[in-house]
Amino acid sequence: MTVKKPARERILDAAAELFYRDGIRAVGVDTVIARSGVAKMSLYRNFASKDELVCAYLERNIAQHAAWWDRVTARHPDDPRAQMQALFTALGHWIDHPKFQGCPFTSAAAELRDPANPAHALAVAHKRMVRDRLRALAAAAGADCPERLTAQLQLLMEGAYAAGRALDLGAGNGAVASAAAALIDRACGAGPAGRKILNAGQ
């Protein structure tokens, strides 16, 4: 026998699928209720408002993204350069997923533009966290200007999120990894690992 998930998890599962696929503003609470199979009272017992549900959705995405980042970088212990390159290789594979709909944080920040909106603040804070983690890797890898490399890599990341929805970037989206390798090589000096990834994406 399978154990039924608690109502809160079923609501979050439904909200995550609907918000990511259709957009936060386009999805009403009644749609989430119908998809999750819970009573309206149950939803409001767990989330006082749609805004609170959106924040919970983004908080769960933040935790999932952090876990993904840690899994990818853990494959290259004590090698920040390889860790940076691996992140962009993995990003290319994520973009290839049939359910890919861009970055949920970029989408949330664009949809919920009011800086006072707590969900907007969460999305922006996540982007800053990504920048900080990239900067730490760039510095550890010996980049000649960690700030510049961080800005370039984050711009590449955001461009990949957008392009991945509209363009064919090749098998496995290798252009994402090869572009990152070129930037990393320029900032940190070309090395065997960088050349290997760059050649694989060509």
Side-chain angles (χ1 to χ4, degrees):
M1 294 181 62
T2 58
V3 178
K4 197 172 186 179
K5 286 185 177 181
R8 179 182 175 85
E9 290 305 306
R10 282 183 281 146
I11 293 165
L12 272 174
D13 287 346
E17 178 188 353
L18 293 166
F19 290 161
Y20 184 62
R21 187 190 68 196
D22 300 331
I24 293 170
R25 288 194 177 279
V27 176
V29 169
D30 287 343
T31 304
V32 176
I33 290 170
R35 176 59 60 88
S36 64
V38 304
K40 180 174 288 191
M41 183 180 297
S42 181
L43 184 142
Y44 284 111
R45 190 160 44 236
N46 285 279
F47 306 98
S49 64
K50 181 182 175 181
D51 285 346
E52 190 172 305
L53 175 59
V54 172
C55 286
Y57 153 70
L58 290 175
E59 286 166 352
R60 189 164 78 163
N61 269 297
I62 288 171
Q64 290 171 341
H65 185 271
W68 168 81
W69 185 294
D70 291 342
R71 283 196 308 272
V72 172
T73 55
R75 298 170 193 156
H76 305 278
D78 304 318
D79 190 343
R81 178 176 178 150
Q83 288 173 342
M84 282 189 290
Q85 292 174 339
L87 286 167
F88 284 87
T89 300
L91 175 59
H93 293 318
W94 177 31
I95 291 170
D96 241 1
H97 195 283
K99 291 187 177 181
F100 176 76
Q101 292 292 329
C103 172
F105 306 102
T106 302
S107 298
E111 283 196 78
L112 310 171
R113 301 176 66 87
D114 183 357
N117 187 309
H120 177 92
L122 277 172
V124 171
H126 175 75
K127 294 297 182 182
R128 290 175 180 151
M129 182 273 291
V130 170
R131 179 193 62 198
D132 291 344
R133 296 192 79 174
L134 280 174
R135 186 194 298 116
L137 288 175
D144 54 4
C145 180
E147 289 287 346
R148 182 175 61 226
L149 178 59
T150 299
Q152 291 170 338
L153 290 177
Q154 192 159 30
L155 184 61
L156 171 62
M157 186 177 287
E158 293 298 323
Y161 288 140
R165 299 182 65 179
L167 300 176
D168 180 1
L169 301 178
N173 295 297
V176 177
S178 61
L183 292 170
I184 294 165
D185 282 353
R186 180 171 296 179
C188 304
R195 286 195 295 270
K196 181 178 179 182
I197 291 177
L198 182 60
N199 292 335
Q202 292 176 340

